[in-house]
Amino acid sequence: MSNNFESSHGGGGAAANAHDEIQATTKSHQDPFEGENDLSFRSVHPVDVVVQNLNVEIKNASNGFSHFSNSILRRKSSPAMQVKSILRDIDACMPSGSLTAIVGSSGSGKTTVLNAMSRRVSGGRLDIMGTISYNENSRLSSIRSAYVMQQDVLLETLTVRETLTYAAELRLPPPTTREERRTVVKQVILELGLKDCANTRIGDNEHRGCSGGEKRRTSLAVQMLANPSVLFLDEVTTGLDASTAFHLVATLKALAMKGRTIICTIHQPRSEIWNLFDRVLLLAAGSLLYSGPRISCIQYFERQGYVLPPFVNPAEFVIDLAAIDTRTPEAEEVSFRRVQDLVTRFKESQEKKFLTQAQTSRPTHAQVPTGLDRTQHHAPLSRQIGILTQRTLKATYRDPMGVAGSMFEATSMAVITGWIFLRLDGSLSGIRSREGALYTAASLQGYLILIFECYRLTVDIQLFDREYGEGVISVTSFLISRRIARMFLEDVPVPLIFSVIFYFMVGFRAIASQFFVFFGVVLLMQIIAVNFATLCIAVSRNFAGATLVANMGFTLQSLGCGYFVNVSEIPPWVRWLKWTAYVFYSNGALAANEFVGHTSDPAGHLYDCPSDGGTSNPECKQWTGVYIMESLSFPSNWLVRPIIILFGFSIAFYLGAGLLLRFKKAGVRISKVQRNNTDYSVGKEQFNSRSIEEVRTLTLSLREYSLNIHKRNVWMRKTMNLSILKPLSITFEPGVLNVILGPSGSGKSSLLNLMARRLHNTTSTKYEIGGKLLFNGAVPSDDVVRSICSYVCQNDDSLLPYLTVRENLIFAAYLRLPTHFSRENKRERAEAALLKMGLRDCANNLIGNQTVKGVSGGEKRRVTIAIQILTDPRVLFLDEPTSGLDAFTASSIIEVLRGLAEEGRTLVLTIHQARSDLFKYFNNVLLLTRGGSAVYAGKGSQMLSHFRSLGFTCPTTTNPADFALDLITVNLQSETKEATSREKVRSLVSEWDQSNVPLTQATSQIDTPAELGSLARNMTPFRIAFPILLKRSFINFRRNPPSIIARTSQVLGYAICLTLFFAPLKNDYYSVQTRLGFVQEFGPLYFVGMLQNIAVYPEEKAVFYREHDDNAYSVEAFFLQYTLAELPFEILTSLLFAVLTVIAAGLPRTVSLFFIVAFNAFCIVNTGESIGIMFNTIFDHTGFAVNVTSVVLSIAQIMGGIMSLNIPSFLQAFNHLSPIKWAIGNLAPYTLAGVMFSCTTAQQLPNGQCPVATGEDAVKLYNLDGNAGLNLLALSICLVVYRMLAFLLLKTKRTKWGLKERLGRGRNKEAAVAGNDSADARMRIIW
């Protein structure tokens, strides 16, 4: 199907072959199943998709939220803004067997049309009018359809082949045989050019795998395997090189010719791709300019007076017609009128009439039988469960940090808590410690699993949402398979490991039946925890929301379980909640198993009573199991019943999660009405072009520059060596565009990252760099490279979403420009960059993100570039600056880059799909093949003559960039084509290596390394950066309600729960346990601090890492800004916590105690946040960091002084590092001072005294009678020390205390020495 660009001696060469093959691909439908493109899919039911008078509007209701959003966007509410029209009068007819393209400029409504057709848009404020039918049926579920999203949602631990194999198993159920599915998978891999990466894992940001283009093709392959009658694709060629994009669309064409209806949006189709389309929808601002056959499109516009010029891509021509040209006010007015005129003309045109007739006179296809459709579309339930179980099992054991995190949690928690409760005796304090040990097993272990599973599900649920939305899997199969797959990897091993270690270290009885009851309860708590986590994720898909639900739910569980607050002491209005608390039943079951189970004595087990007589002696009453059960308010026969109820809880959470996942779907949400999405800044750039002689320029030279990667496994053994870039030599000159071209996987982005010094060694990955990178003939050190070069990444995640365009630029100017610039000078530089990049019209618009609509994609790219040019960098690297942009916007971006280069900068950029009229601006071109070998490296104007000399001639009507990419792309669609194309590419590489083309070297005005070093910019001093960062953070934070909720809701919600369960505190005998339990319940604030950190810190850390790589500001400035930004919320919530716990709960109402409680709450939350910073800095795997952090916090809570009274001496010393110890050590004496307790006659000792008469007696019983003031001071020290440790870890990770720079200089020096010859001996190393 795809091009076979072999050398042709008859003239025409590669492009001629391409043209012939396109003609073969687009032949008539006489026999659509013949030829090499015959994928082994079964036939599909033909479906005609018809859209009639489609209108889409968004209503912006006048409520509090809309007023709030209006205030954020700095606009006034007006009646005209209450309704925004997205689409107007859209008509289209897409018959079966056709490939339809939806094209238009940014903001034209392409994706909205596609989403409306695929029924993926919904919402209370969304109004969809008109009709969309599928064979005259309005239900999309009546047909088999598939949708390829822009985002690639794939399992990162599976290989491409495994991903497609499992997809085929789910999407091609019987009667398709296993052999047929294997054949289809093999052919799809070949068809989409995935053969070379078939056994490569998908990968993610932490573990590199497939390239972006390979992931894109894998996503398409997954949907192709569904064998749909209708296939929707949203920007399917985004991120692909021109050659791969052509092959992909040609594959879609072949599938369409076999009776499928394929509809796609596309940004920058090359001319050969345009010829593959059967029908075209051209949109402008939500209105139709044309809808009909592609073959009639150009003729239609010719009749309107718009003639296609010679050698111009038809797709670019029509997209430009539909774009508003804002280069000048006059051009804007002319283009606006042109678009409006074309919209009106089409409504009145003969084509529109033909379209209407086609909509009403279509051939009738047989209807899909009702009731059979859904079962025919996907596998039966039993098959789904089997396939998903295999897939989940493989993905789970391949995630070493995930499985390791679970095993680490179980083992470390068991060993350390077992050590804390090591060999408990039968004394009264030993009995209290036994109660604490049982609570640890019944509650805390499950809580850690709950938090970890919540995090993992936030990642895994994305794939479920996609597959469930596609109708491929059911909720039942997802839930059952997940548990079956993890039953023997985690669900059973984790509680078993914990039980075996913990049970025998504590010293519980070595009775088999008692142990297995213990294990059974812990196992049930594991199942309940993971099911409850699924329920939390079903309520909220994000980690902050899910953990808020989980934490509040668990708080109610722990307070109602009868350990911290005696059940009889719980206020009547919440006492009933104990029956809904699964921890109440697990704690009761374990207590009964330990104290009264497995014995024939009606008084239960007798512990170490100092008096003789056994259980019949009244003096031994406190040592009997029945008395202990009564003191805990548990029935004495409380064993079998709670286990049955626990099993019921696991089923209930399972069913609850299933119902929510079934009916609370995650779909496309429409945000509030925003301004027009058009990029108004196009053409308003202002440049001060200077000659090369007027500025200090840099010429970059690569000399045999190469990159290899050495991978190691978890055992630090080498697993593979990868050659990413073969030795490359080229010169990148200032004042012009230097472009790197190549197919996906050729190493373009790796080369940019390497030159920009953005590749950092890790424990598992080591980068080996060969050759030299020269700046004006000198070898620069890493710090010089980072300081004089700027890097624009593919994504725009370094932009703060709740700041406007102007604010992002102004703050960037404050942070990046030299100190000798005044504040006003910096603002002027920001405004100049704003004007230079044509951003004035959107200056006061929010950047936006996935939940808040902001500026357009083109404007975001311009903002990112503007930030990087603020410091007037001599070198600017840009990775795919036009990716994801329509042809018109991409052209404007290239115009901007040309203007920047003409100011004397050295620009090096990678590009995937270039317009035909842009290649003439590519001065120097580096053409890479897959595998990182150079096919050409030299002047762009000489590239075609080089290939012509080798027998490959580019036709005059072909885009040179497309020609080159087609020439060097290996065709993997058949063994013959692969062998031929590989040999061709190998010969091209060999020819270039042997050509010895001399490198062009521009004359440099900077002759010494010292002068080069003088261009390096210094990092902004702390005194300047810190207040700016603090202000920026405050503005971004106050406009982000979800972050505010995450910062405040946890502490307040927890305080409310404590108040409900403990208020009012009493003074009877049972209240001794209740008051000490109340003090112990300050410990979970440690977890609150950690959860607040997880919700905020990883995202802020990512922005900081990016800006720190740009040498913008120091670690100290970021860290202090982060600390001070969190303090107001921690102080405020701590004061409110004290109000509820001191005044409402009933502690002594004194001013001193109020502030003591508030200060303790503040310290615990803050140290929990510090712990979160530490482990999220050490570990890039957030899930593993959550697990490790949770274990550390749990151990600290257990050793606080109430749950365990006999901690071993070594752990006692370690416990001095825990803030919980010092918090409880001062809270217990302060809150119990002067408290008198009463007791009933039955509770009195034989001497008539109460077991515990005063608060002082209580603190002595629990060994908490130390110096409260010193404990409070120690807590203050912990507050400072923990935050300092967090800072030191971040500082070390980011700078290695200067070690990284010294090593970098050493590597450069070694490279220079190793490569010395007569010429290189004069090189100097730049320090």
Side-chain angles (χ1 to χ4, degrees):
M1 177 198 68
S2 303
N3 299 7
N4 182 13
F5 297 105
E6 303 174 20
S7 177
S8 174
H9 297 288
N17 291 338
H19 178 74
D20 294 340
E21 191 163 348
I22 292 170
Q23 296 299 320
T25 302
T26 56
K27 64 183 179 180
S28 65
H29 290 215
Q30 292 177 357
D31 191 356
F33 296 95
E34 289 183 355
E36 295 182 10
N37 300 310
D38 184 14
L39 294 180
S40 301
F41 287 124
R42 292 178 178 268
S43 60
V44 297
H45 188 81
V47 175
D48 294 340
V49 179
V50 176
V51 179
Q52 292 177 299
N53 198 30
L54 175 64
N55 290 268
V56 178
E57 295 178 346
I58 296 178
K59 295 180 179 178
N60 195 20
S62 296
N63 53 31
F65 182 76
S66 64
H67 289 310
F68 176 72
S69 63
N70 288 335
S71 66
I72 288 181
L73 296 175
R74 296 182 177 179
R75 64 188 187 188
K76 297 181 180 179
S77 297
S78 65
M81 290 177 56
Q82 298 306 308
V83 175
K84 179 179 180 180
S85 181
I86 305 297
L87 297 176
R88 291 175 293 276
D89 302 324
I90 304 299
D91 291 296
C93 181
M94 291 145 285
S96 63
S98 65
L99 173 60
T100 301
I102 305 174
V103 296
S105 59
S106 297
S108 60
K110 302 185 297 294
T111 300
T112 305
V113 171
L114 192 72
N115 286 336
M117 292 182 186
S118 58
R119 307 294 188 187
R120 294 177 65 85
V121 288
S122 60
R125 296 188 293 109
L126 190 68
D127 240 346
I128 303 178
M129 296 161 284
T131 60
I132 303 173
S133 61
Y134 317 90
N135 285 353
E136 300 182 354
N137 193 324
S138 62
R139 294 186 305 110
L140 182 65
S141 59
S142 66
I143 65 168
R144 172 178 280 183
S145 66
Y147 187 99
V148 180
M149 302 185 297
Q150 290 191 39
Q151 299 81 17
D152 300 311
V153 181
L154 304 165
L155 282 175
E156 65 275 4
T157 54
L158 297 183
T159 66
V160 171
R161 189 184 304 279
E162 290 166 346
T163 299
L164 298 181
T165 300
Y166 287 123
E169 295 287 337
L170 289 170
R171 291 166 169 81
L172 296 174
T176 308
T177 65
R178 181 181 294 272
E179 188 59 35
E180 286 176 331
R181 287 192 291 270
R182 288 178 179 174
T183 301
V184 169
V185 168
K186 181 179 178 180
Q187 291 179 342
V188 168
I189 287 175
L190 293 175
E191 195 72 19
L192 295 181
L194 293 169
K195 181 180 178 181
D196 283 349
C197 63
N199 297 317
T200 302
R201 294 189 186 182
I202 298 297
D204 55 16
N205 292 333
E206 298 170 9
H207 304 91
R208 294 299 299 270
C210 294
S211 67
E214 291 163 345
K215 289 180 183 179
R216 191 92 277 263
R217 282 176 278 159
T218 304
S219 294
L220 172 60
V222 167
Q223 298 303 329
M224 285 174 56
L225 289 171
N227 194 25
S229 294
V230 180
L231 179 61
F232 302 99
L233 306 104
D234 192 13
E235 304 297 351
V236 70
T237 62
T238 294
L240 304 182
D241 62 84
S243 182
T244 304
F246 167 71
H247 291 321
L248 191 151
V249 177
T251 299
L252 296 178
K253 174 65 176 179
L255 291 172
M257 291 172 63
K258 297 173 184 178
R260 295 166 181 82
T261 306
I262 300 181
I263 308 167
C264 66
T265 63
I266 193 165
H267 268 150
Q268 304 178 55
R270 55 190 280 188
S271 55
E272 293 87 349
I273 290 178
W274 171 264
N275 292 330
L276 294 176
F277 295 128
D278 297 302
R279 305 184 72 83
V280 171
L281 272 72
L282 178 61
L283 297 174
S287 298
L288 274 177
L289 272 66
Y290 178 80
S291 177
R294 183 266 310 165
I295 198 170
S296 304
C297 180
I298 300 303
Q299 298 172 3
Y300 166 77
F301 284 111
E302 286 179 353
R303 293 197 301 271
Q304 309 307 316
Y306 301 96
V307 180
L308 175 68
F311 310 124
V312 172
N313 183 348
E316 296 169 1
F317 170 71
V318 298
I319 291 174
D320 289 347
L321 278 180
I324 306 296
D325 187 352
T326 60
R327 288 180 171 85
T328 64
E330 294 79 12
E332 184 173 357
E333 178 66 21
V334 170
S335 59
F336 180 78
R337 289 182 178 179
R338 180 192 68 230
V339 169
Q340 291 298 105
D341 180 60
L342 287 173
V343 170
T344 303
R345 288 190 185 188
F346 181 74
K347 290 180 180 179
E348 301 171 352
S349 67
Q350 197 69 24
E351 280 73 10
K352 179 63 179 294
K353 294 178 182 178
F354 290 154
L355 181 61
T356 304
Q357 292 174 3
Q359 291 171 336
T360 57
S361 60
R362 302 183 315 278
T364 303
H365 301 294
Q367 294 294 312
V368 179
T370 304
L372 298 177
D373 176 71
R374 298 296 292 180
T375 58
Q376 291 175 350
H377 287 187
H378 46 68
L381 179 63
S382 59
R383 183 174 179 81
Q384 290 180 37
I385 293 174
I387 296 167
L388 291 178
T389 299
Q390 295 176 32
R391 188 177 73 178
T392 306
L393 187 66
K394 185 170 290 187
T396 300
Y397 78 72
R398 279 189 183 170
D399 181 14
M401 298 301 284
V403 176
S406 298
M407 297 304 174
F408 171 82
E409 180 276 323
T411 305
S412 59
M413 188 73 177
V415 170
I416 298 177
T417 55
W419 200 348
I420 293 172
F421 298 104
L422 186 64
R423 297 295 175 185
L424 295 176
D425 56 28
S427 64
L428 289 180
S429 61
I431 292 173
R432 297 292 182 272
S433 293
R434 283 175 187 269
E435 294 173 1
L438 294 174
Y439 174 79
T440 299
S443 178
L444 282 182
Q445 169 64 12
Y447 176 71
L448 302 189
I449 298 299
L450 171 65
I451 296 300
F452 181 52
E453 186 70 6
C454 277
Y455 170 76
R456 288 201 301 191
L457 277 169
T458 57
V459 179
D460 297 344
I461 201 67
Q462 299 176 41
L463 182 60
F464 163 77
D465 285 335
R466 176 173 69 79
E467 293 184 330
Y468 179 63
E470 296 164 357
V472 175
I473 64 174
S474 65
V475 172
T476 304
S477 62
F478 168 72
L479 293 177
I480 293 176
S481 64
R482 186 175 178 86
R483 293 279 60 84
I484 293 176
R486 291 185 170 161
M487 180 65 68
F488 300 105
L489 280 179
E490 294 179 359
D491 289 353
V492 173
V494 166
L496 182 61
I497 291 172
F498 176 83
S499 298
V500 170
I501 298 174
F502 182 77
Y503 186 91
F504 294 104
M505 286 188 70
V506 172
F508 293 130
R509 296 177 191 84
I511 302 175
S513 59
Q514 183 171 332
F515 168 77
F516 281 110
V517 170
F518 180 91
F519 166 67
V521 173
V522 175
L523 175 62
L524 279 173
M525 291 303 294
Q526 167 89 10
I527 303 300
I528 288 173
V530 294
N531 290 347
F532 185 31
T534 309
L535 180 66
C536 296
I537 289 295
V539 174
S540 175
R541 292 294 200 269
N542 63 78
F543 181 75
T547 53
L548 175 61
V549 175
N551 219 26
M552 293 302 99
F554 182 78
T555 298
L556 295 176
Q557 300 289 324
S558 63
L559 294 177
C561 73
Y563 179 72
F564 293 109
V565 52
N566 193 283
V567 174
S568 62
E569 294 289 301
I570 299 176
W573 54 83
V574 291
R575 190 175 300 169
W576 60 273
L577 286 174
K578 73 175 183 180
W579 304 111
T580 66
Y582 60 81
V583 178
F584 171 73
Y585 299 100
S586 62
N587 196 30
L590 291 182
N593 185 54
E594 168 62 23
F595 297 123
V596 297
H598 314 283
T599 180
S600 58
D601 194 326
H605 290 285
L606 178 66
Y607 292 88
D608 296 344
C609 177
S611 303
D612 297 330
T615 56
S616 59
N617 186 349
E619 295 183 356
C620 292
K621 183 178 181 179
Q622 295 182 78
W623 285 266
T624 62
V626 171
Y627 178 86
I628 298 169
M629 291 292 289
E630 289 177 353
S631 68
L632 295 172
S633 297
F634 291 131
S636 58
N637 59 347
W638 195 241
L639 183 59
V640 177
R641 191 184 310 168
I643 293 177
I644 296 174
I645 295 173
L646 286 175
F647 185 77
F649 265 103
S650 66
I651 299 298
F653 285 140
Y654 212 61
L655 294 176
L659 290 173
L660 282 176
L661 291 173
R662 171 68 178 82
F663 296 106
K664 189 176 181 294
K665 298 179 182 179
V668 178
R669 295 180 297 173
I670 304 298
S671 61
K672 52 187 172 292
V673 176
Q674 299 290 325
R675 295 181 179 180
N676 196 325
N677 199 36
T678 304
D679 189 350
Y680 289 111
S681 57
V682 176
K684 298 184 180 179
E685 306 84 2
Q686 294 188 358
F687 301 98
N688 301 316
S689 183
R690 297 167 290 180
S691 66
I692 301 299
E693 290 76 16
E694 294 176 326
V695 294
R696 305 170 70 186
T697 60
L698 288 176
T699 299
L700 275 64
S701 300
L702 305 183
R703 294 188 181 178
E704 300 298 318
Y705 209 41
S706 64
L707 174 64
N708 296 315
I709 295 180
H710 304 290
K711 301 289 291 185
R712 296 177 181 270
N713 58 20
V714 293
W715 310 111
M716 300 309 294
R717 296 176 181 172
K718 287 186 177 180
T719 57
M720 64 178 71
N721 296 323
L722 303 175
S723 177
I724 305 301
L725 293 170
K726 302 299 190 295
L728 303 173
S729 297
I730 190 175
T731 296
F732 297 126
E733 300 172 326
V736 296
L737 293 183
N738 304 279
V739 179
I740 303 173
L741 296 173
S744 298
S746 60
K748 301 184 299 296
S749 296
S750 297
L751 178 56
L752 278 190
N753 286 321
L754 181 59
M755 290 192 294
R757 298 296 192 262
R758 298 297 175 97
L759 297 177
H760 305 298
N761 293 332
T762 64
T763 54
S764 61
T765 303
K766 181 181 178 181
Y767 297 98
E768 180 184 347
I769 304 170
K772 301 180 182 68
L773 168 65
L774 307 178
F775 283 20
N776 285 353
V779 179
S781 63
D782 288 358
D783 54 347
V784 169
V785 172
R786 284 194 296 267
S787 62
I788 65 176
C789 300
S790 290
Y791 187 30
V792 179
C793 302
Q794 284 193 44
N795 50 36
D796 305 306
D797 55 5
S798 61
L799 302 176
L800 293 171
Y802 292 96
L803 296 185
T804 65
V805 170
R806 174 173 278 114
E807 288 168 342
N808 267 284
L809 281 170
I810 289 175
F811 281 118
Y814 289 161
L815 291 170
R816 295 166 185 259
L817 291 177
T819 55
H820 63 265
F821 276 54
S822 68
R823 198 175 184 87
E824 188 59 33
N825 292 148
K826 293 179 179 180
R827 180 180 285 272
E828 289 175 358
R829 176 69 72 89
E831 292 293 339
L834 192 79
L835 188 62
K836 178 179 294 186
M837 299 303 298
L839 294 166
R840 184 179 57 189
D841 290 334
C842 63
N844 295 319
N845 287 3
L846 288 182
I847 292 295
N849 55 18
Q850 294 179 349
T851 59
V852 176
K853 192 71 173 67
V855 298
S856 70
E859 288 164 341
K860 280 187 180 180
R861 298 302 287 151
R862 288 164 178 262
V863 175
T864 305
I865 296 172
I867 288 176
Q868 295 300 335
I869 67 171
L870 280 170
T871 56
D872 195 25
R874 295 299 86 204
V875 180
L876 184 59
F877 299 112
L878 303 103
D879 194 9
E880 299 295 346
T882 63
S883 182
L885 305 180
D886 64 86
F888 182 77
T889 306
S891 177
S892 70
I893 289 288
I894 295 298
E895 289 293 331
V896 170
L897 297 181
R898 286 184 58 217
L900 295 176
E902 289 170 359
E903 292 184 333
R905 296 178 179 86
T906 305
L907 267 68
V908 183
L909 62 145
T910 64
I911 195 165
H912 266 149
Q913 301 177 41
R915 285 177 57 131
S916 55
D917 56 350
L918 296 180
F919 184 80
K920 59 187 176 184
Y921 302 126
F922 298 170
N923 188 270
N924 294 305
V925 173
L926 173 61
L927 189 59
L928 298 175
T929 65
R930 184 177 174 85
S933 296
V935 176
Y936 179 79
K939 294 293 184 181
S941 58
Q942 301 173 7
M943 184 184 75
L944 295 182
S945 61
H946 167 73
F947 289 124
R948 190 182 305 115
S949 67
L950 300 177
F952 300 95
T953 303
C954 177
T956 56
T957 58
T958 299
N959 183 346
D962 294 343
F963 165 79
L965 286 172
D966 290 339
L967 194 62
I968 64 172
T969 299
V970 176
N971 192 328
L972 302 174
Q973 294 175 324
S974 70
E975 292 183 0
T976 302
K977 289 183 178 182
E978 180 184 354
T980 304
S981 57
R982 281 193 188 278
E983 180 59 33
K984 176 192 62 181
V985 172
R986 191 178 299 112
S987 65
L988 289 173
V989 172
S990 177
E991 287 286 346
W992 177 254
D993 289 341
Q994 297 173 10
S995 64
N996 295 318
V997 177
L999 293 174
T1000 59
Q1001 181 71 42
T1003 303
S1004 171
Q1005 288 188 300
I1006 304 177
D1007 299 319
T1008 66
E1011 290 185 51
L1012 178 59
S1014 68
L1015 290 176
R1017 62 179 183 271
N1018 295 321
M1019 188 175 286
T1020 302
F1022 172 84
R1023 60 182 175 79
I1024 296 175
F1026 168 67
I1028 295 170
L1029 288 171
L1030 191 61
K1031 183 178 180 180
R1032 185 181 73 169
S1033 174
F1034 173 75
I1035 295 174
N1036 189 66
F1037 196 79
R1038 71 178 173 84
R1039 294 175 180 171
N1040 186 2
S1043 294
I1044 296 175
I1045 293 173
R1047 280 284 187 196
T1048 57
S1049 57
Q1050 297 268 13
V1051 175
L1052 291 179
Y1054 185 67
I1056 292 172
C1057 291
L1058 286 182
T1059 304
L1060 287 175
F1061 274 87
F1062 285 94
L1065 291 170
K1066 300 177 182 178
N1067 293 81
D1068 55 15
Y1069 175 68
Y1070 290 118
S1071 67
V1072 175
Q1073 176 188 346
T1074 299
R1075 286 179 178 267
L1076 288 169
F1078 184 70
V1079 172
Q1080 179 71 35
E1081 283 298 302
F1082 278 64
L1085 290 174
Y1086 215 10
F1087 288 95
V1088 170
M1090 181 266 288
L1091 294 176
Q1092 290 181 173
N1093 175 264
I1094 298 295
V1096 177
Y1097 179 72
E1099 293 182 2
E1100 295 201 12
K1101 180 185 73 171
V1103 174
F1104 162 64
Y1105 279 11
R1106 183 68 55 81
E1107 294 181 328
H1108 190 257
D1109 284 338
D1110 290 337
N1111 208 39
Y1113 51 87
S1114 64
V1115 176
E1116 291 83 354
F1118 164 75
F1119 194 83
L1120 188 58
Q1121 165 265 312
Y1122 181 86
T1123 299
L1124 291 187
E1126 79 187 50
L1127 284 180
F1129 296 97
E1130 292 176 351
I1131 293 172
L1132 176 62
T1133 54
S1134 297
L1135 291 172
L1136 294 175
F1137 182 88
V1139 169
L1140 291 170
T1141 53
V1142 174
I1143 299 176
L1147 292 176
R1149 295 180 176 88
T1150 63
V1151 174
S1152 60
L1153 185 59
F1154 173 84
F1155 285 106
I1156 288 172
V1157 168
F1159 182 73
N1160 275 272
F1162 168 76
C1163 289
I1164 297 172
V1165 172
N1166 189 273
T1167 50
E1169 181 114 24
S1170 297
I1171 290 288
I1173 295 174
M1174 292 182 202
F1175 288 105
N1176 273 289
T1177 299
I1178 296 173
F1179 303 110
D1180 292 326
H1181 193 292
T1182 306
F1184 190 80
V1186 168
N1187 237 335
V1188 176
T1189 308
S1190 299
V1191 170
V1192 172
L1193 302 188
S1194 297
I1195 293 170
Q1197 184 173 356
I1198 294 169
M1199 295 193 302
I1202 292 177
M1203 295 177 65
S1204 176
L1205 304 183
N1206 299 301
I1207 301 176
S1209 57
F1210 171 77
L1211 290 179
Q1212 279 283 15
F1214 180 78
N1215 194 31
H1216 283 73
L1217 302 175
S1218 169
I1220 301 297
K1221 168 184 171 58
W1222 306 114
I1224 293 177
N1226 78 81
L1227 282 170
Y1230 281 130
T1231 58
L1232 289 170
V1235 177
M1236 303 296 295
F1237 295 105
S1238 61
C1239 60
T1240 64
T1241 303
Q1243 295 168 339
Q1244 291 178 352
L1245 299 175
N1247 59 9
Q1249 294 182 353
C1250 293
V1252 179
T1254 65
E1256 287 73 15
D1257 293 339
V1259 295
K1260 287 181 181 178
L1261 176 65
Y1262 285 87
N1263 299 323
L1264 297 173
D1265 53 342
N1267 189 313
L1270 288 179
N1271 290 337
L1272 191 62
L1273 177 61
L1275 179 63
S1276 305
I1277 295 173
C1278 282
L1279 175 75
V1280 177
V1281 170
Y1282 272 51
R1283 190 50 60 105
M1284 288 301 299
L1285 284 175
F1287 164 73
L1288 293 176
L1289 283 172
L1290 183 63
K1291 178 77 174 179
T1292 302
K1293 175 140 188 183
R1294 290 306 298 170
T1295 67
K1296 305 291 175 62
W1297 298 112
L1299 179 61
K1300 184 190 299 183
E1301 286 76 9
R1302 289 195 295 273
L1303 289 177
R1305 291 194 292 268
R1307 285 195 298 269
N1308 289 333
K1309 189 171 184 178
E1310 291 171 5
V1313 172
N1316 268 344
D1317 54 25
S1318 59
D1320 292 334
R1322 294 189 298 271
M1323 286 188 182
R1324 296 174 57 188
I1325 306 303
I1326 302 165
W1327 302 91

